[in-house]
Amino acid sequence: MDQPLLIHLVPLDHEALTTLLANIAEAFPTQPYLVLTPDQHEAPNLIPYTPTSPYPSTFTLTAADFLAANQQLALHPAQAILQLGAGADSLSPAALAALAHPVLTGAADLTLPCYDLPPNAGLVNSAILFPLIRALIGTPSRFPLALDLALTPRALARLAATAARTAPDTILWPPIECAAAAFTVTEVSVGHRALPAPSNQDLTEILTLILTSLFTEIELRAPYWQRARTAPISVQGNPGASALPNPDINPMVESFRLAYTNLQEIWSLVLPAQSLLGLKRLSVTPATSFLLPDSLWARIIYDFLLAFRLRTINRGHLLGALTPLYLAWVASHLLQTSHGTPPETHIEATAKAFEVDKPYLVARWRWPDRFTP
Amino acid sequence: MKKPGSATDPLWYKDAVIYEIHVRAFADANNDGIGDFPGLLSRLDYLQDLGVTCLWLLPFMPSPLRDDGYDIADYTSVNPSYGTLADFKLFLDAAHQRGMQVMIELVINHTSDQHPWFQAARLAPPGSPERDMYVWSDTDKLYEGVRIIFTDTEKSNWTWDDTAKQFYWHRFFSHQPDLNFDNPRVMEEVLKAMRFWLDMGVDALRLDAIPYLIERDGTSCENVPETHVMIKRIREVIDAEYEDRLILAEANMWPADVRPYFGDGDECHMAFHFPLMPRIYMAIRQEDRLPITDIMAQTPEIPESCQWGIFLRNHDELTLEMVTDDERDYMNLAYAADARMRINVGIRRRLAPLVDNNRARIQLLNSLLLSFPGTPIMYYGDEIGMGDNIYLGDRNGVRTPMQWNSDRNAGFSRCDPARLYFPVIMDPVYGYQVVNVESQLTDQSSLLHWTRNMIALRKLFQVFGRGTLTFLHPENRKILAYIRDLKRDDGTHETVLCVANLSRFAQPVALDLTPYKDLMPVEMLGYVSFPKITLTPYPLSLAPYAFLWFELQPAPAQQDLPILPPDHTQATEQITLDLLTKGWAGFLAGQGADLLHKVLPDYLPRQRWFGAKSRTIQTLTITHYVELHPATLLTPSSTIGEAILFLHIAYTDATTDQYQLPIAYTTGDSIGQVPPATILATLQSPTGPAVLHDATTREDFRQSLLALITTQSSVPLHTLKAAAEEVATTIVAAHTDRPAHDITPTEAQPLTDKILQTHTIEPQRVDPQPDNKQLWGAPGHAAPSRDLGSSPSLSGTHTPTYTPPPTHPSRLSSAEQSNTNIFFGGDLLLKLFRRLQPGLNPDVEIGRFLTETAHFERVPAYLGALTLTSTTGEPTTTAMLQQLIPNEGDGWQNTLEELARFYESVATSRPPATPATPPTLLDPDQPIPEELASHAGLSLKAAALLGRRTAELHLALATPTDNPAFAAEPNTSATLLADAQRIDVQINLTLDALKAQLPTFKDLLADTAAQVLTRRIPLFAAAHSITASIPSGQRIRIHGDYHLGQILINHNDFTILDFEGEPAKTLAQRREKQSPLKDVAGMLRSFSYAAYAALDAYQQRHPTTPAASQGLDAWATLWQSAVSRQFLQAYRTTIAANPSLLPEPTQAQSLLNAYLLEKSLYELLYELNNRPTWVRIPLAGILALST
């Protein structure tokens, strides 16, 4: 008999768990499966377990999640693993089935979901994580930090091995990890999903947390991504999602202008003259026509990544100095989308700019001379 | 408690960048003027940022410090000046936390004379276990003749000890008595010390001076076999008790002598490559890559798990032990003009002062260090270009304090400057105020930043630590170019091309990168894409001392169509349609044949393989063709297969030739991959432009050829008439709505005739209701035969031992040859003969005999062939499959390179005192003149080995056999007379030609030519002297065209190639049995050519005065004479295994002389017609034979 699909859950409240179990049952009418939950609950195919360490985060999966899943895999050998995060009860049965299908059929080692999110949700992902990872490793990963994943046992084992070397709350990057191992990564549309908000709402802290983890991973994987060939990726997002009308971008623009005055000294340690000139122009641009060019944004991220690697300044200060620039991108994005550009179109353009400028990053990474244009 | 090492990959040392540190010299934390572990600990962040991954600490154990710590007085403690054991542990843990491994010294050959073991030994009675810890003797004559290493300070390897009343043995300083490894207790103590440090977590041990562990009388006391027993024991303990640890051998020996220290992967993991280092300096000073390529050619393969350690400088002198006397003199003059810069047999200077502080030279040397195979080892301070102090004693000039900043004592210590263990460097160029870490950290363009970037770049590419090395051989020897390649686990390759300009001036170079065709070099520092590699030499220009590293990546898919010469462009859609709808039969029956007849007379003379370039083609006929169908193809570039055309060419001088021409049709983007020089014509097709071109450029065609041999299958041979019949049959079938096999030849005959007459295929004119009766009644037309058993065909065959290989990608050889060589992977070579001659090709015949009957291993194994069988049943070999021999170049090129060095070496010497005597078979074995031996390098040894291999070849060809083509036959009066008469003809022909051209010669050449012309009668006499005595000796099949170009160098040995014989002769002549001395004569003449060709090249590079030129001529003659003598001596010794093969000695000599004469005359005639400037070479040979 085929080995089952192992569905590994994080703690959920009773109602959410009940809903999710019903959706799972509907998603896999013929596929044998086992659901592992840290919650006390009784249902067919359900195996409660006691996690070895507390779950440190709800807004993303962490090292602890992969370790826990891998421990359960050792007890319950499975054909594939569906790792579902907080709020997974909002995924439809079809989404669950679609997510598991590529790994169950052997078509992929890792399936990432592509969510339909409300307008302006997940902009850190859209502005930095998605374009950066896509440009560097060339895998489809619109949501590289997804809360839900389907994995083959070997993909999970690899992530767990990495997790074992880190703290439980460390954020892992499954698409990078799997791509570096030459595993197949794929992406499926899963429709709407409710995303839990981070417990900490401070933007700089969130940016620092996520980017420290991502930039460290990128530094570690430099030999891989510098050779990875990136090919055009088909867009899985929802291009029809409409923007909110008349967004108020003034606070963000003001925040950027203030930072332009205060943080110039730090930025000048990180960014080359051409980028500084671009920011200078932007600082005097009226809010009504505030447009941060995609290429400039890509180079800003690349230069911050490089400064992070070279420890040009304290890494905390460095990422703190990125926040106003990120706000400038958000303002620019909102303005463009309010003028009729579909959000996904602009995000795709951003990702393309990252791809086009990848040689800029590679060249600077290899030869980080400040005497650059 | 045993702590693990910090590495997790057992082969971590292959990817490492090692940094050599003296604790005393790096950083002083307690301000006593001596560096210490707390100081080192405080600088670990600096080292981490620099990117080094392994720290090698010079000895830090308690010691009287009379040899900078290599005189250890306690193996399991820390010298109090450097801190405590606890300090060391703290340092070790901190290094591990930063991902760095730590290597320490295990100095086990000797101890300090202050070591308690030695103090006890002196007092203990002879023969006691305590006394036996060291090597004692009552006499200092034991082990006499063993060299002294520290020649500047030591006069003997023995020192008298007044207390012990015996001499004790020491290979280094007299205060460093050697331990006695014949005493088992010594090994126990060594293992105890080793475990002490490994238990603490130390990752690696450098085994100091290990060749000297064991002494044996009658030997050099170096590398004696028992030494390896000791090392194996150490390794055994490490493997059994620890994980991921390393031992590194310090054995200052030639690479071949160091090789045993790797064992079978069960001795040392790593060993230093000592001889490479001085040769890198030599190469950059001489602006010539030879010193480097030469030493790398002498470097043997090492076990998979092992690694070389390479370095530019270290704490010792730049050792010149592993160079010749001349090279040592040169190095001293070039790099250590001041005697204070020298010590022992070496130069005590740091990297920057050695190259006159030239930044470009420092960078170039580091680029070689970081890209050569092996693990790079950097010496502290060289990353900032620290200087040295030649006024300090011993090697202390390169061991001064690290220069951290411009503060007091260079930031090394806050002590009173007078307390420093050595003064810091203070001169205006290298002084700490100028050269220090702090200033270079703030300067983005500093050497420190450059070094840091380069280390980081190297670490990105595993190929540098683990890949193979292949040198390229561009004509410009100032350019060093090599390929590093690593096959990854997933089957893909990481390939890097490194090109370095060793010259102080800009240099051009054209690299043969054909194996990497279609890849795109991406410059690695700036990630800049360069133009795609094609079959043409890849041109680059390099600035002075520049180096370029390229990653070879697949090129982007988009390709531009080549721009074709307009006179070869044919807008002929009809031809394309014929080809696409009716295949090659349609093409050749229609206007395709006309097109080819039109373009081939222009096309052929432009092909490298076409041998009749000087003759004018009168008529060209396509006589036959075969088709290779898509079914046999792997990746067809078009839907039709390829064809091989067989051409009959008649020249205006009434001679004729047969050639084969593979032809293919390619469309679309694939056109971009077709080399323009191979394109016959451009056609218009319904989907755009298409080209007709030589099919050998197509992978599918090459695989089809191999498949024919592998499957031993055949394809039918067709005539153009058969093509017309096939097309006619198809058309009739289509228009009568019947299957083609129902159509009789008679039925198709009218249309066939029409096609043959007009070369047009017009289906609309075919009568849909032909008069079958009339057609069927027409006699005399046979249908195209499908029975391959008896029909003309092209067939593949292979030997019984041939194992079909897995599918190998193939590539064309870039060499300009009369045949086309196709490589399949790294194992197989298919030689496609372009010019065909009916009959069995001698290359196939002899290759097969040597492989299957004689089992001779110094030739590529014969594996199979493609043979054309005509209607008469006579076979013609069209291709031969043989083993591909990995090699380091051919004998000709190698000898020229040797000779280039030879002339460089003798250029400043007086003309030789020894006269050159013509080598003979009658010579007793004679020693090589010493004045030549010191300059001639490896060529003398190589010539002897070649003589031996040549004799072995002849012995193999004389293997008793029933095969009449190979059975040896005796020399007879008739055969010898025929030889003499043949030489008569050659004498007349050549001397007549010489006479005709005499007025055009100048000065000395005219004199020499006139001298030769006066020798006509002695020359005839020399030729006929072979008939003077009773015939003896045998005639066998021989190589027939034997010269240095037919020899491949592989692993310091030779493989003999190409048994086709002289191309100008008929097959029957080439298959005749002859005296083996004819091959010997060929090789001796080749030595002569090499000597003078290299001399010409040298004189072009270094114009010399007539007097100097005469001196060089004398050296050339002496070299030729000595090399020939070495060859003949070895040949004579080896061939003696079959005494009947050669005639008795006097007759053998006469024969050899006659063949030398014949060959020289042949050469002279060739040079008169082709290269008048080379005429002097055969003229000199003829003169030497006639006096």
Side-chain angles (χ1 to χ4, degrees):
Chain A
M1 182 181 160
D2 285 347
Q3 288 185 324
L5 169 70
L6 203 64
I7 304 172
H8 187 257
L9 308 182
V10 297
L12 297 168
D13 62 41
H14 180 76
E15 191 181 340
L17 181 58
T18 308
T19 306
L20 180 56
L21 291 175
N23 288 346
I24 289 171
E26 189 180 337
F28 304 107
T30 56
Q31 168 70 40
Y33 65 86
L34 283 176
V35 179
L36 296 151
T37 172
D39 298 313
Q40 292 305 310
H41 198 92
E42 286 189 11
N45 304 333
L46 192 71
I47 302 177
Y49 74 93
T50 307
T52 50
S53 61
Y55 283 89
S57 169
T58 54
F59 84 98
T60 182
L61 296 171
T62 66
D65 297 307
F66 293 108
L67 271 178
N70 199 45
Q71 283 163 0
Q72 292 305 313
L73 180 65
L75 299 173
H76 310 284
Q79 189 181 351
I81 301 90
L82 192 57
Q83 176 98 40
L84 301 177
D89 53 305
S90 60
L91 286 169
S92 68
L96 294 170
L99 201 53
H101 181 73
V103 287
L104 284 171
T105 56
D109 283 292
L110 169 68
T111 315
L112 291 163
C114 181
Y115 305 122
D116 283 348
L117 296 184
N120 305 340
L123 286 185
V124 171
N125 179 55
S126 300
I128 305 173
L129 311 187
F130 159 61
L132 184 55
I133 290 176
R134 187 174 103 169
L136 296 197
I137 65 169
T139 55
S141 48
R142 180 67 181 83
F143 291 89
L145 215 50
L147 269 167
D148 317 295
L149 307 167
L151 308 116
T152 55
R154 67 172 185 163
L156 178 59
R158 187 170 176 96
L159 284 161
T162 303
R165 295 194 293 269
T166 61
D169 60 347
T170 305
I171 297 172
L172 301 190
W173 298 88
I176 302 179
E177 190 83 42
C178 288
F183 294 166
T184 312
V185 180
T186 190
E187 186 175 41
V188 294
S189 285
V190 295
H192 172 73
R193 188 208 202 276
L195 288 180
S199 53
N200 188 334
Q201 295 288 326
D202 184 280
L203 176 61
T204 298
E205 282 187 31
I206 292 172
L207 265 181
T208 303
L209 174 72
I210 294 176
L211 293 188
T212 298
S213 164
L214 178 58
F215 286 3
T216 305
E217 179 75 5
I218 288 173
E219 189 179 357
L220 191 69
R221 301 286 176 199
Y224 169 72
W225 60 256
Q226 292 202 13
R227 274 185 234 110
R229 284 303 182 108
T230 51
I233 305 291
S234 61
V235 183
Q236 293 284 333
N238 178 1
S242 55
L244 292 176
N246 304 321
D248 180 11
I249 64 167
N250 282 316
M252 291 179 259
V253 172
E254 281 312 311
S255 177
F256 165 73
R257 285 181 181 150
L258 185 64
Y260 183 79
T261 310
N262 296 336
L263 296 178
Q264 264 223 42
E265 204 174 332
I266 291 181
W267 288 350
S268 65
L269 293 173
V270 175
L271 302 175
Q274 199 66 39
S275 299
L276 292 169
L277 183 64
L279 293 178
K280 182 178 181 182
R281 286 192 194 119
L282 196 60
S283 70
V284 294
T285 305
T288 49
S289 54
F290 192 85
L291 179 70
L292 175 62
D294 296 331
S295 167
L296 176 58
W297 174 240
R299 290 195 174 207
I300 287 170
I301 293 299
Y302 284 156
D303 283 316
F304 270 76
L305 172 56
L306 197 70
F308 184 89
R309 175 209 163 202
L310 295 174
R311 293 178 167 81
T312 306
I313 56 171
N314 172 286
R315 287 177 164 180
H317 294 165
L318 175 79
L319 296 177
L322 182 62
T323 307
L325 294 169
Y326 166 71
L327 291 175
W329 181 86
V330 174
S332 175
H333 173 71
L334 295 180
L335 196 62
Q336 287 181 69
T337 53
S338 70
H339 289 169
T341 304
E344 282 300 326
T345 303
H346 179 234
I347 291 165
E348 178 63 16
T350 305
K352 283 266 189 293
F354 273 72
E355 283 173 357
V356 167
D357 269 333
K358 181 179 174 182
Y360 172 84
L361 172 66
V362 177
R364 292 221 60 206
W365 189 282
R366 292 183 179 183
W367 213 253
D369 191 336
R370 277 210 305 262
F371 199 77
T372 48
Chain B
M1 191 184 120
K2 198 186 283 189
K3 285 180 72 174
S6 63
T8 51
D9 179 352
L11 299 178
W12 61 269
Y13 46 87
K14 289 202 164 201
D15 306 319
V17 178
I18 299 176
Y19 187 82
E20 181 187 357
I21 302 173
H22 202 323
V23 178
R24 179 172 71 164
F26 209 58
D28 173 21
N30 63 0
N31 299 318
D32 63 352
I34 301 171
D36 45 39
F37 278 111
L40 176 55
L41 181 66
S42 71
R43 297 295 184 178
L44 280 180
D45 285 341
Y46 164 78
L47 295 171
Q48 186 182 22
D49 282 350
L50 181 59
V52 296
T53 64
C54 177
L55 306 180
W56 161 23
L57 305 185
L58 295 181
F60 53 82
M61 293 83 179
S63 156
L65 294 180
R66 295 178 66 191
D67 183 18
D68 216 15
Y70 283 93
D71 46 338
I72 291 176
D74 179 358
Y75 280 104
T76 55
S77 187
V78 171
N79 187 328
S81 300
Y82 305 153
T84 63
L85 205 51
D87 290 334
F88 173 77
K89 287 179 183 171
L90 278 177
F91 152 76
L92 183 64
D93 290 345
H96 285 177
Q97 279 165 13
R98 287 166 174 79
M100 290 189 276
Q101 282 74 53
V102 173
M103 174 159 68
I104 67 166
E105 296 268 358
L106 196 62
V107 186
I108 57 173
N109 176 65
H110 50 262
T111 68
S112 161
D113 59 5
Q114 302 305 306
H115 197 289
W117 297 341
F118 188 72
Q119 293 304 322
R122 303 169 73 198
L123 297 170
S128 63
E130 289 79 11
R131 173 72 77 110
D132 280 350
M133 287 294 283
Y134 294 86
V135 182
W136 298 93
S137 168
D138 293 330
T139 167
D140 61 356
K141 302 299 176 202
L142 186 62
Y143 311 141
E144 198 163 38
V146 172
R147 74 183 175 112
I148 296 162
I149 294 169
F150 287 162
T151 50
D152 282 6
T153 48
E154 300 299 329
K155 301 298 169 213
S156 169
N157 287 318
W158 292 105
T159 292
W160 175 258
D161 187 276
D162 245 352
T163 307
K165 302 296 181 200
Q166 273 191 308
F167 291 96
Y168 63 87
W169 177 254
H170 57 87
R171 286 307 301 271
F172 298 94
F173 290 116
S174 59
H175 55 77
Q176 291 169 318
D178 275 25
L179 285 164
N180 174 19
F181 275 83
D182 287 330
N183 177 358
R185 195 185 139 200
V186 169
M187 180 52 85
E188 282 171 29
E189 293 293 343
V190 164
L191 293 177
K192 207 183 290 178
M194 184 180 86
R195 288 187 179 105
F196 177 82
W197 296 107
L198 293 183
D199 285 354
M200 216 177 284
V202 165
D203 303 276
L205 300 168
R206 173 184 176 273
L207 297 184
D208 184 64
I210 49 167
Y212 315 106
L213 295 188
I214 304 272
E215 299 76 27
R216 289 290 176 267
D217 206 8
T219 71
S220 63
C221 292
E222 296 174 10
N223 309 322
V224 300
E226 291 88 337
T227 304
H228 296 284
V229 178
M230 299 297 152
I231 300 169
K232 279 185 166 62
R233 173 68 186 134
I234 291 172
R235 175 66 184 268
E236 196 178 81
V237 170
I238 289 180
D239 285 350
E241 301 177 19
Y242 304 93
E243 284 182 353
D244 308 327
R245 310 299 171 101
L246 158 78
I247 46 176
L248 165 64
E250 190 225 15
N252 188 355
M253 305 276 164
W254 291 100
D257 295 329
V258 176
R259 171 64 186 82
Y261 289 94
F262 293 114
D264 296 323
D266 57 353
E267 292 193 27
C268 296
H269 302 82
M270 276 182 65
F272 290 106
H273 195 311
F274 276 98
L276 174 62
M277 183 256 304
R279 281 172 178 76
I280 291 178
Y281 287 99
M282 206 183 299
I284 195 173
R285 193 67 181 231
Q286 295 180 342
E287 303 192 353
D288 190 334
R289 65 172 183 256
L290 266 184
I292 294 174
T293 53
D294 201 39
I295 195 66
M296 293 310 288
Q298 294 177 52
T299 302
E301 293 290 317
I302 57 176
E304 191 69 20
S305 62
C306 295
Q307 177 83 324
W308 291 107
I310 55 177
F311 56 97
L312 294 172
R313 290 300 305 114
N314 61 19
H315 61 288
D316 281 330
E317 69 273 25
L318 192 168
T319 176
L320 298 175
E321 286 174 274
M322 297 298 121
V323 296
T324 65
D325 291 346
D326 266 6
E327 288 170 337
R328 189 174 306 119
D329 288 346
Y330 177 82
M331 288 292 287
N332 278 328
L333 291 167
Y335 285 110
D338 186 332
R340 276 170 295 210
M341 296 169 179
R342 305 175 196 169
I343 189 170
N344 300 322
V345 192
I347 299 170
R348 49 177 193 158
R349 305 207 70 189
R350 268 189 177 271
L351 172 62
L354 273 170
V355 293
D356 289 345
N357 206 26
N358 180 299
R359 174 75 179 270
R361 283 194 279 264
I362 295 173
Q363 292 180 178
L364 175 63
L365 287 171
N366 272 309
S367 80
L368 298 179
L369 175 74
L370 293 170
S371 62
F372 253 51
T375 295
I377 301 166
M378 310 186 85
Y379 187 47
Y380 85 91
D382 281 350
E383 73 272 25
I384 55 171
M386 261 175 69
D388 50 38
N389 180 353
I390 59 172
Y391 300 98
L392 291 175
D394 197 8
R395 291 148 290 177
N396 298 327
V398 300
R399 299 170 180 178
T400 57
M402 178 71 176
Q403 295 169 193
W404 292 104
N405 55 41
S406 57
D407 292 348
R408 184 170 62 169
N409 300 330
F412 163 75
S413 171
R414 294 166 60 83
C415 72
D416 186 323
R419 282 192 73 185
L420 288 177
Y421 74 95
F422 288 142
V424 293
I425 304 289
M426 286 182 284
D427 66 61
V429 177
Y430 301 103
Y432 67 90
Q433 298 92 336
V434 186
V435 178
N436 64 66
V437 170
E438 192 176 279
S439 67
Q440 294 203 12
L441 279 175
T442 58
D443 173 9
Q444 286 279 316
S445 304
S446 65
L447 178 62
L448 177 59
H449 274 283
W450 182 91
T451 309
R452 190 170 74 170
N453 292 346
M454 288 297 288
I455 291 173
L457 186 60
R458 178 192 155 98
K459 284 158 61 179
L460 279 176
F461 291 85
Q462 222 176 19
V463 65
F464 288 124
R466 304 193 184 207
T468 58
L469 169 82
T470 307
F471 283 113
L472 303 178
H473 304 282
E475 198 176 329
N476 185 347
R477 292 209 335 227
K478 295 181 193 304
I479 299 294
L480 177 68
Y482 45 100
I483 296 280
R484 302 297 316 276
D485 182 75
L486 175 70
K487 189 171 182 186
R488 301 193 192 99
D489 292 342
D490 61 3
T492 60
H493 282 255
E494 188 173 304
T495 307
V496 167
L497 162 68
C498 303
V499 190
N501 177 9
L502 303 173
S503 164
R504 62 201 187 284
F505 302 118
Q507 295 292 329
V509 67
L511 298 172
D512 177 2
L513 296 174
T514 43
Y516 310 97
K517 179 178 163 290
D518 292 338
L519 294 182
M520 175 173 280
V522 178
E523 196 276 323
M524 287 164 59
L525 278 66
Y527 204 60
V528 179
S529 296
F530 272 52
K532 196 180 77 166
I533 297 168
T534 64
L535 289 175
T536 53
Y538 197 83
L540 288 171
S541 301
L542 284 96
Y545 298 124
F547 69 91
L548 292 168
W549 289 359
F550 295 104
E551 187 184 5
L552 301 187
Q553 295 184 349
Q558 186 64 37
Q559 301 292 342
D560 293 327
L561 290 178
I563 299 167
L564 302 174
D567 54 335
H568 291 290
T569 305
Q570 302 286 330
T572 48
E573 274 199 42
Q574 185 56 50
I575 292 177
T576 313
L577 279 174
D578 288 345
L579 179 60
L580 294 177
T581 56
K582 302 173 195 71
W584 288 105
F587 174 84
L588 292 168
Q591 292 172 22
D594 286 346
L595 171 67
L596 289 179
H597 285 133
K598 190 174 169 189
V599 300
L600 281 173
D602 285 336
Y603 174 85
L604 291 175
R606 285 187 281 112
Q607 303 309 306
R608 292 169 173 177
W609 43 261
F610 187 68
K613 294 185 178 66
S614 58
R615 285 183 277 176
T616 308
I617 296 174
Q618 190 169 47
T619 59
L620 183 146
T621 316
I622 301 167
T623 57
H624 297 84
Y625 72 98
V626 296
E627 282 187 75
L628 297 172
H629 293 285
T632 62
L633 308 181
L634 293 177
T635 51
S637 303
S638 70
T639 51
I640 58 167
E642 295 88 358
I644 303 175
L645 309 181
F646 298 96
L647 311 176
H648 178 272
I649 302 168
Y651 304 99
T652 49
D653 62 3
T655 55
T656 60
D657 271 336
Q658 274 79 41
Y659 274 88
Q660 64 169 322
L661 175 66
I663 185 170
Y665 169 85
T666 295
T667 58
D669 288 347
S670 301
I671 292 178
Q673 294 165 16
V674 179
T678 67
I679 295 177
L680 287 126
T682 302
L683 304 174
Q684 292 303 318
S685 83
T687 56
V691 292
L692 278 178
H693 62 97
D694 189 316
T696 55
T697 61
R698 283 243 302 247
E699 175 72 10
D700 49 2
F701 172 74
R702 300 191 293 251
Q703 296 293 349
S704 295
L705 290 183
L706 182 62
L708 273 180
I709 294 175
T710 300
T711 57
Q712 303 204 96
S713 48
S714 303
V715 286
L717 182 70
H718 303 299
T719 60
L720 291 201
K721 184 181 170 199
E725 285 171 348
E726 186 178 329
V727 171
T729 304
T730 312
I731 293 172
V732 171
H735 283 264
T736 56
D737 210 14
R738 290 155 53 204
H741 60 260
D742 276 0
I743 310 298
T744 64
T746 326
E747 207 173 348
Q749 187 60 43
L751 188 53
T752 303
D753 291 343
K754 193 172 184 65
I755 290 171
L756 284 171
Q757 283 163 19
T758 62
H759 292 299
T760 53
I761 305 166
E762 298 176 42
Q764 67 274 24
R765 291 189 185 171
V766 175
D767 182 355
Q769 300 295 328
D771 184 347
N772 289 345
K773 281 179 188 170
Q774 190 181 348
L775 284 175
W776 288 2
H781 293 282
S785 171
R786 301 289 176 215
D787 177 9
L788 298 184
S790 58
S791 301
S793 64
L794 179 69
S795 310
T797 52
H798 63 70
T799 62
T801 53
Y802 169 70
T803 314
T807 304
H808 282 311
S810 67
R811 63 185 173 86
L812 284 177
S813 164
S814 60
E816 293 194 27
Q817 288 169 338
S818 53
N819 303 315
T820 298
N821 286 342
I822 301 169
F823 302 126
F824 292 91
D827 307 324
L828 302 176
L829 165 66
L830 185 76
K831 190 190 280 192
L832 190 73
F833 300 112
R834 291 292 189 156
R835 180 170 163 250
L836 303 177
Q837 288 186 277
L840 198 50
N841 189 301
D843 211 0
V844 172
E845 196 183 16
I846 295 180
R848 190 167 190 170
F849 179 82
L850 288 172
T851 304
E852 295 181 347
T853 305
H855 305 295
F856 183 58
E857 291 186 348
R858 305 305 321 174
V859 294
Y862 167 81
L863 299 172
L866 286 174
T867 309
L868 194 64
T869 312
S870 70
T871 44
T872 63
E874 186 172 27
T876 300
T877 309
T878 64
M880 177 173 77
L881 184 68
Q882 59 184 178
Q883 178 194 11
L884 178 61
I885 303 291
N887 63 82
E888 295 98 48
D890 66 38
W892 174 253
Q893 196 55 39
N894 203 272
T895 308
L896 289 187
E897 288 178 2
E898 279 286 333
L899 277 162
R901 295 188 60 190
F902 172 73
Y903 290 124
E904 299 276 1
S905 176
V906 297
T908 53
S909 307
R910 290 163 173 276
T914 321
T917 49
T920 74
L921 281 166
L922 305 173
D923 267 352
D925 289 354
Q926 289 177 358
I928 301 297
E930 198 168 319
E931 60 179 337
L932 180 78
S934 63
H935 295 294
L938 294 171
S939 47
L940 296 172
K941 266 189 181 173
L945 181 60
L946 185 55
R948 186 176 143 203
R949 296 296 181 226
T950 306
E952 288 169 354
L953 168 71
H954 288 151
L955 291 171
L957 287 167
T959 302
T961 174
D962 296 334
N963 182 348
F966 283 88
E969 294 167 4
N971 273 322
T972 63
S973 301
T975 58
L976 293 175
L977 182 62
D979 281 352
Q981 288 169 341
R982 193 182 63 237
I983 299 171
D984 285 349
V985 173
Q986 189 77 51
I987 293 169
N988 282 329
L989 202 62
T990 309
L991 294 193
D992 289 352
L994 182 64
K995 199 160 115 187
Q997 291 199 25
L998 185 62
T1000 63
F1001 296 157
K1002 288 181 185 169
D1003 306 331
L1004 284 175
L1005 186 60
D1007 293 348
T1008 316
Q1011 259 186 299
V1012 168
L1013 285 172
T1014 63
R1015 303 291 171 121
R1016 193 180 292 250
I1017 301 302
L1019 292 180
F1020 283 133
H1024 282 268
S1025 67
I1026 62 176
T1027 60
S1029 50
I1030 299 168
S1032 59
Q1034 292 181 321
R1035 299 169 92 80
I1036 55 172
R1037 295 297 293 274
I1038 63 169
H1039 185 284
D1041 187 22
Y1042 198 48
H1043 55 80
L1044 285 164
Q1046 309 282 34
I1047 307 295
L1048 282 185
I1049 317 286
N1050 63 327
H1051 300 298
N1052 296 324
D1053 209 327
F1054 300 105
T1055 298
I1056 302 167
L1057 300 176
D1058 203 349
F1059 291 84
E1060 268 194 276
E1062 282 181 21
K1065 293 189 172 168
T1066 65
L1067 265 191
Q1069 287 171 325
R1070 292 193 243 160
R1071 295 183 64 207
E1072 278 175 6
K1073 290 170 192 160
Q1074 302 181 65
S1075 167
L1077 289 170
K1078 204 158 183 199
D1079 279 347
V1080 174
M1083 189 53 72
L1084 295 185
R1085 289 300 309 148
S1086 194
F1087 289 147
S1088 176
Y1089 255 74
Y1092 289 103
L1095 181 58
D1096 273 359
Y1098 176 81
Q1099 287 176 326
Q1100 276 176 21
R1101 288 199 307 275
H1102 309 280
T1104 47
T1105 62
S1109 178
Q1110 218 168 2
L1112 286 174
D1113 260 350
W1115 279 111
T1117 314
L1118 186 61
W1119 180 91
Q1120 182 195 339
S1121 157
V1123 164
S1124 300
R1125 180 170 291 119
Q1126 290 292 299
F1127 178 87
L1128 282 180
Q1129 282 174 7
Y1131 181 84
R1132 193 177 54 196
T1133 308
T1134 311
I1135 206 77
N1138 182 349
S1140 63
L1141 206 47
L1142 291 192
E1144 53 81 20
T1146 317
Q1147 193 181 24
Q1149 187 59 48
S1150 299
L1151 262 183
L1152 179 59
N1153 286 346
Y1155 292 142
L1156 281 169
L1157 177 62
E1158 184 183 20
K1159 188 78 180 168
S1160 306
L1161 290 163
Y1162 172 84
E1163 290 162 1
L1164 179 55
L1165 191 59
Y1166 178 84
E1167 304 301 5
L1168 284 170
N1169 290 332
N1170 296 287
R1171 292 185 297 192
T1173 52
W1174 286 50
V1175 160
R1176 71 175 182 127
I1177 302 178
L1179 275 181
I1182 296 167
L1183 262 190
L1185 288 163
S1186 63
T1187 48

